[in-house]
Amino acid sequence: MDHLTENNFTAQTLEYPVCSEWKENPEGSVFHLAHILLVLGFMGGSGFYGLLYMFSFLTLGFFCYSIWAWSDPCTTDSFSWTFALFAFCLAQVVHGSYRLRSVTFDKEFQDLYDYMFKKLGVSLTHFGKIVECCEGDIYTIDKDHCFAVEGKTSIDKLSVLISGRIRVTLNGEFLHHIYPFQFLDSPEWDSLRPSEEGVFQVTLRADNRCRYVAWRRKKLYLLFAQHRYIAKIFALLVRNDIAEKLFSLNDKAFDTRGFRYDLRLPSFCHGPEPEIEDTSESRPALGQSETKPTERDS
């Protein structure tokens, strides 16, 4: 009899307690705030800023959840789990903030990224490697000073104009201008192989105070060898810049009749027209051609 009573008591203790009545008061505001923050956190995106947004709200949500769980004296499991998740999300936020510092740039480099690299889908991480290659330096050219002199300045870097305007001349004759966020030496860069050396064939003079960023040739080729994606991006930018310079020259090129030259087929479309010979003078007379055989027979 005692054994049966003991089994009944054990079965009753193992049963899940039935809720006899609903609580009159809902859970505290911290409990509801925690769930609201968790919902906002799970709405974050997958990008860099999306992950930072998500883990920031998850950190706040699990922190509020830990405060609510600490107020429950009956168990420590809920507090332990929520506090562990809070610590994990907080570590992710700290790590993301550290990465954000490494991809935060000065205003001039940020403008360079927004104008040239962002539209090509280049990430801030890859752009950070590009900035590291030039050591984050910005150079200045005063008014009427030369960036390069034809026949003298060696081609040892690749440069992009950040502000100001550069005048390009050849033997004192004006060719075109270089405006902000255009390469200063893209034709010279593209004309040489990595193992070749050369000098500028044009003179680049500043019309006003200019600022530009420059990458040393050897360091940039080393970066290309390490990251093929960056090499393809620069190849696209340089060749597009050369095409823009050619079209700017084409807008100023006219022939003697006032027609614009066609850069695609300059020698064929705009070459001198051949003179048409007078066939009446060059063709021999019919009577003469018929009498020659007769005279030869006689």
Side-chain angles (χ1 to χ4, degrees):
M1 187 66 181
D2 295 337
H3 182 69
L4 181 60
T5 305
E6 184 179 355
N7 289 338
N8 292 334
F9 178 77
T10 304
Q12 291 178 0
T13 56
L14 292 177
E15 290 180 357
Y16 190 81
V18 179
C19 180
S20 59
E21 59 180 358
W22 293 99
K23 289 184 177 181
E24 295 181 0
N25 298 323
E27 299 293 343
S29 58
V30 178
F31 176 83
H32 298 287
L33 177 62
H35 284 81
I36 293 174
L37 293 173
L38 291 177
V39 170
L40 293 175
F42 287 121
M43 294 172 61
S46 59
F48 179 79
Y49 290 102
L51 292 176
L52 192 61
Y53 165 88
M54 181 181 69
F55 283 114
S56 297
F57 276 97
L58 290 181
T59 301
L60 295 175
F62 284 121
F63 177 72
C64 293
Y65 217 137
S66 300
I67 295 176
W68 174 83
W70 180 259
S71 63
D72 187 2
C74 298
T75 179
T76 60
D77 294 339
S78 58
F79 172 78
S80 300
W81 273 106
T82 52
F83 188 81
L85 293 173
F86 159 73
F88 174 77
C89 293
L90 180 61
Q92 292 294 326
V93 171
V94 173
H95 177 67
S97 301
Y98 176 78
R99 290 182 57 193
L100 184 62
R101 288 186 58 189
S102 63
V103 295
T104 303
F105 311 102
D106 296 336
K107 182 180 182 303
E108 291 174 314
F109 281 107
Q110 188 64 43
D111 294 340
L112 178 65
Y113 172 77
D114 294 337
Y115 194 89
M116 296 184 64
F117 293 91
K118 186 177 181 179
K119 59 184 178 182
L120 297 178
V122 179
S123 65
L124 290 173
T125 304
H126 283 99
F127 184 70
K129 298 182 183 298
I130 295 173
V131 174
E132 289 178 2
C133 184
C134 69
E135 299 178 354
D137 294 333
I138 301 292
Y139 302 93
T140 302
I141 308 177
D142 293 328
K143 183 179 179 180
D144 294 332
H145 283 64
C146 290
F147 172 82
V149 179
E150 55 185 291
K152 296 182 179 180
T153 306
S154 60
I155 305 170
D156 57 354
K157 57 182 175 292
L158 181 65
S159 308
V160 175
L161 185 65
I162 301 297
S163 62
R165 190 178 68 178
I166 297 291
R167 174 184 294 266
V168 182
T169 58
L170 175 63
N171 296 326
E173 182 180 354
F174 171 75
L175 295 179
H176 62 88
H177 282 115
I178 298 177
Y179 298 98
F181 305 110
Q182 290 184 342
F183 285 96
L184 294 172
D185 42 11
S186 54
E188 290 78 12
W189 173 272
D190 195 62
S191 63
L192 296 179
R193 296 179 180 179
S195 59
E196 295 178 345
E197 296 182 356
V199 294
F200 279 81
Q201 302 300 317
V202 293
T203 298
L204 281 70
R205 186 185 300 272
D207 282 347
N208 45 33
R209 191 173 183 271
C210 301
R211 290 176 63 82
Y212 69 96
V213 56
W215 295 271
R216 289 296 173 183
R217 195 168 176 222
K218 293 182 179 180
K219 295 186 64 175
L220 194 55
Y221 275 124
L222 181 60
L223 180 66
F224 291 166
Q226 296 174 350
H227 303 278
R228 298 299 301 168
Y229 172 74
I230 297 179
K232 294 179 180 179
I233 291 297
F234 267 89
L236 178 61
L237 290 173
V238 167
R239 290 165 186 173
N240 181 70
D241 186 80
I242 294 173
E244 291 180 355
K245 288 181 171 62
L246 288 175
F247 277 107
S248 66
L249 290 174
N250 188 39
D251 291 336
K252 302 177 179 63
F254 295 91
D255 59 9
T256 56
R257 294 173 297 177
F259 294 103
R260 181 177 286 110
Y261 282 105
D262 191 344
L263 292 179
R264 297 170 299 176
L265 300 170
S267 59
F268 178 77
C269 293
H270 298 279
E273 297 181 358
E275 297 181 359
I276 301 177
E277 298 180 355
D278 189 358
T279 55
S280 61
E281 295 180 358
S282 60
R283 183 178 300 174
L286 182 59
Q288 296 178 357
S289 61
E290 291 180 352
T291 55
K292 286 182 180 180
T294 307
E295 295 175 354
R296 189 178 298 113
D297 292 340
S298 61

